[in-house]
Amino acid sequence: MKFLLPLLLLSLLGARAADAPPADAARKAMLAGFEKEVAELNAAITATPARVDLYSRRGDRLLFLGRPADAIADFEKMIALDATQDAPHWRLGIAYHFAGAWEKSARQFEKYHAYDARDRENGIWKFLADMRLVGREKAATQMLEYTRFDREPFPTLYEMFAGRKTTDELFAEITAKKLTDNGAVMFFAHYYGGLNELMLGNQARAHELLGKAVASTWGQNAEGGPAYMWQCARLHFETLPAQ
């Protein structure tokens, strides 16, 4: 999932201590910044309603504000304006996920797989949608096929969601490969390890791992797709039951 996004996180959270979750004041300032951008984009769209990039930017910020239905409307408008936006639009698949539109989410990630058959992260999101529709065991039999190496730790993450490895085995492999100092690897391991534990009903473990993903300095400050995924991890974490 590759998408460049100029987030406020670089200025709001970049000076934080290593691996600390955003303080409440920083979080409020970040969300206020998104609200401000949405208001500006509203005006821009009113003035130039056929610009795909404006709907793209507003949809992202609406999702980050916890408004997936509104994000979906903007992302679908992008496709209505330009049909070539459809297949690569993994962000729409994620918005469908947060809206609980599981069939649409699964279908969107199938489209993305036809566009990019290497990105296992896409396959994980398709599995998460299928799992809600048909249960974990059947969803595991419907997982997308990948034949090329993606990036660490996604091959192992894929095995984990398929039920062939545990979350603890995921972290054991990361340790064995001496990747524990790799911020990207640890962010994704904590995020998707947390989602795996959530799927298994292990709320406390899910809370621990998702909390570590949200605390990831790398995740908070990355300039590309991973920063987008940090926002997704934050949304998942913030909707967990209180521990």
Side-chain angles (χ1 to χ4, degrees), residues 62-78:
L62 289 168
L63 180 63
F64 301 158
L65 288 166
R67 296 166 57 183
D70 294 329
I72 288 167
D74 274 357
F75 292 156
E76 289 181 343
K77 180 65 174 179
M78 292 171 60

Side-chain angles (χ1 to χ4, degrees), residues 16-18 20-21 23-24 39 65 76 99 105 107 115-116 124 138 157 161 167-168 179 188 198 210 219 222 229:
R16 300 184 51 73
D24 190 54
L65 288 166
E76 289 181 343
S105 183
R107 175 60 183 145
Y115 173 81
D116 177 3
I124 289 171
K138 186 172 181 181
L157 286 172
F161 281 106
T167 306
D168 287 341
L179 296 173
F188 287 116
L198 186 63
L210 289 172
M229 299 316 297

Side-chain angles (χ1 to χ4, degrees), residues 70-203:
D70 294 329
I72 288 167
D74 274 357
F75 292 156
E76 289 181 343
K77 180 65 174 179
M78 292 171 60
I79 295 167
L81 290 170
D82 178 4
T84 65
Q85 298 287 327
D86 191 8
H89 211 319
W90 57 266
R91 293 175 292 140
L92 175 57
I94 288 179
Y96 284 141
H97 173 97
F98 281 106
W102 309 118
E103 290 186 7
K104 289 183 177 180
S105 183
R107 175 60 183 145
Q108 193 63 33
F109 289 114
E110 287 173 358
K111 292 179 187 178
Y112 188 87
H113 188 60
Y115 173 81
D116 177 3
R118 186 168 188 164
D119 187 354
R120 279 178 176 81
E121 190 171 10
N122 160 79
I124 289 171
W125 285 84
K126 193 258 188 185
F127 166 80
L128 292 172
D130 284 340
M131 183 267 298
R132 297 288 190 131
L133 294 168
V134 300
R136 183 184 182 184
E137 289 187 9
K138 186 172 181 181
T141 70
Q142 299 174 176
M143 292 181 78
L144 299 174
E145 182 179 350
Y146 294 91
T147 58
R148 293 178 292 169
F149 181 78
D150 186 8
R151 63 199 190 278
E152 294 289 0
F154 281 96
T156 305
L157 286 172
Y158 215 61
E159 292 287 293
M160 179 187 70
F161 281 106
R164 293 187 285 269
K165 293 185 184 296
T166 66
T167 306
D168 287 341
E169 287 172 334
L170 161 70
F171 287 104
E173 285 197 16
I174 289 171
T175 299
K177 292 177 181 178
K178 299 181 179 180
L179 296 173
T180 54
D181 291 332
N182 186 310
V185 168
M186 296 309 295
F187 167 76
F188 287 116
H190 286 136
Y191 183 19
Y192 290 112
L195 292 186
N196 187 57
E197 292 298 310
L198 186 63
M199 175 183 66
L200 295 173
N202 301 326
Q203 293 282 342

Side-chain angles (χ1 to χ4, degrees), residues 16-79:
R16 300 184 51 73
D19 292 330
D24 190 54
R27 178 184 175 279
K28 288 180 179 178
M30 178 183 70
L31 297 180
F34 291 146
E35 294 279 12
K36 181 175 183 291
E37 288 183 84
V38 167
E40 293 169 349
L41 288 163
N42 290 343
I45 288 170
T46 298
T48 53
R51 282 185 55 185
V52 170
D53 64 307
L54 297 179
Y55 293 100
S56 176
R57 290 167 54 197
R58 189 174 69 176
D60 289 336
R61 284 138 185 85
L62 289 168
L63 180 63
F64 301 158
L65 288 166
R67 296 166 57 183
D70 294 329
I72 288 167
D74 274 357
F75 292 156
E76 289 181 343
K77 180 65 174 179
M78 292 171 60
I79 295 167

